[in-house]
Amino acid sequence: MPMKIDLHSHTRYSDGKLSVDELLMRAHTMMLDVLAITDHDSVAAIEPAIRWQTEQKRPMRIVPGVELSCAWHGFDIHILGFQINHQCPTFLARLEEQSQRRVDRAERICAKLEKAGIQGVLPEAMALAQLPDGAAGQITRAHIARALVNRGEVIDFDQAFKKYLGKGKKAHVKPDWISIEKGISWIKGAGGQAVLAHPGRYDLSAKWLRRLVSEFAAFGGQGLELSQGQLALQKWQFLAELAKEHKLMGSVGSDFHGPSRWCELGRNLRLPDNIQPLWHDWPIN
Ligand code: AMP
Ligand code: MN
Ligand code: MN
Ligand code: MN
């Protein structure tokens, strides 16, 4: 049996809907051998995840990961970090900076919502981002979207982005995330490998995508996320060619945020045959 690997998942420490334990239980049910937890700008789930797994009979490797929010020519670009030292004090201080940026941005988004006549979303979104034990998870636009849905301002999550939170919409705030160069260096500084997340999901033309991948590689990025699950075959092949051209390894992940019809841990994840897996030299093989 080939190993079942999923290198992209979220918990309640960012915008995932499941607690750490719930996520890991589901990963066991889905028969995963390796799971990376990659919360937005947070590694808070890693320690409890490792602790929970050590108490299990069924083996499963937890890969310490992160998904950093970066900005590139006005686009939100996500960079995944794997095998990071999640206790590195410098890295944790840097994540604290990102956290502050997230709170500032949430305040600015909610101020724009107030101008559009929707009052009091910030405390609701902050409450949704809180864990049951009172710890604060990273506040994301997903929490603001959920608050808008709960209040009946929009019919669903998607509409919250289409009407208010998406690029160019009423309550959009231009991202002031770190550069992709900085994102890569933060991850490598914490001993990790940097991978460009879901390259097929940015709203970029082929020409700009080419440019993004080429800059990502030039700045020392090591991999491209090439999960076939969410991609049209043609785009998947295009991205695989770009990976080859820039000598990038391949990574796979479901970007699991919680149970849904469209997304499942470990489902439909396959690398093109001629791409070197990011995990080829990890101590899991
Ligand atoms: P943030 O990182 O705070 O900008 O929040 C963005 C998160 O919202 C993403 O990580 C997705 O999980 C979620 N999301 C869901 N639908 C959309 C959408 N249409 N556009 C942007 N983000 C979305
Ligand atoms: Mn998310
Ligand atoms: Mn992402
Ligand atoms: Mn993600």
Side-chain angles (χ1 to χ4, degrees), residues 8-10 14-15 38-40 67 78 80 197-198 201 225 254-257:
H8 194 156
S9 69
H10 296 272
S14 65
D15 58 356
T38 52
D39 273 312
H40 297 288
E67 182 170 18
H78 289 174
L80 294 163
H198 43 66
R201 248 178 26 214
E225 195 177 38
S254 62
D255 202 3
F256 184 81
H257 281 75

Side-chain angles (χ1 to χ4, degrees), residues 223-279:
L224 270 197
E225 195 177 38
L226 294 167
S227 310
Q228 193 193 12
Q230 308 112 338
L231 280 176
L233 187 61
Q234 228 184 358
K235 197 148 194 187
W236 187 62
Q237 285 164 342
F238 172 67
L239 290 168
E241 276 167 33
L242 280 185
K244 271 261 163 237
E245 184 182 332
H246 295 284
K247 300 192 169 53
L248 293 166
M249 292 178 281
S251 179
V252 291
S254 62
D255 202 3
F256 184 81
H257 281 75
S260 84
R261 231 180 311 159
W262 305 277
C263 182
E264 186 53 83
L265 283 170
R267 190 203 280 166
N268 258 338
L269 303 178
R270 193 171 71 82
L271 275 185
D273 294 332
N274 55 352
I275 295 290
Q276 180 159 66
L278 185 77
W279 55 91

